[in-house]
Amino acid sequence: VQLVESGGGLVQPGGSLRLSCAASGFAFSQSPMNWMRRAPGKGLEWVAGINTHGTIPYFTGPVKGRFNVSRDNAKNMVYLQLNDLKIEDTGMYYCSEGPIAVIPSEPRGVGTQVTVSS
């Protein structure tokens, strides 16, 4: 399994970013996908997930209405659109495969850093 996240950056509060995750090494179209994050000094937190068909998104409460998750099974890609970013969204973002809201103890990829600061 290989997961490569990208798209992070430094943005001001209220800004937007689109994160991407390139997946390989497993049956991507048959696996739900998740996004998780690790804020500075904190543990991994599940953020969002999407079913195999890309038709049902799931979100943790603090990001509902601001984030969106999508996938492209033809390209083995999953995306996380971050809108109306808040300082508390700062962290390293990772994707993972598997059941919705079930995250590994440690992420497989290197992640992509999102920093929200004025």
Side-chain angles (χ1 to χ4, degrees):
V1 174
Q2 187 172 18
L3 300 165
V4 181
E5 302 91 350
S6 62
L10 172 64
V11 296
Q12 293 185 339
S16 297
L17 285 172
R18 188 192 193 210
L19 309 185
S20 299
C21 169
S24 61
F26 64 102
F28 179 80
S29 64
Q30 297 176 32
S31 179
M33 294 295 294
N34 294 284
W35 284 94
M36 53 196 177
R37 66 188 178 190
R38 179 179 280 147
K42 298 187 177 181
L44 277 173
E45 173 193 22
W46 176 77
V47 173
I50 190 163
N51 67 335
T52 56
H53 296 294
T55 54
I56 304 175
Y58 303 84
F59 303 98
T60 189
V63 310
K64 280 182 181 177
R66 301 189 297 119
F67 290 11
N68 196 21
V69 58
S70 60
R71 66 189 294 164
D72 185 338
N73 285 347
K75 296 182 179 179
N76 282 17
M77 297 288 295
V78 61
Y79 307 97
L80 186 67
Q81 178 69 40
L82 291 68
N83 299 317
D84 189 23
L85 280 160
K86 304 179 184 301
I87 291 176
E88 54 263 37
D89 294 318
T90 293
M92 189 71 79
Y93 283 68
Y94 307 90
C95 61
S96 67
E97 82 286 7
I100 298 297
V102 176
I103 60 175
S105 56
E106 285 298 325
R108 296 184 188 271
V110 298
T112 187
Q113 177 69 37
V114 172
T115 303
V116 185
S117 175
S118 55

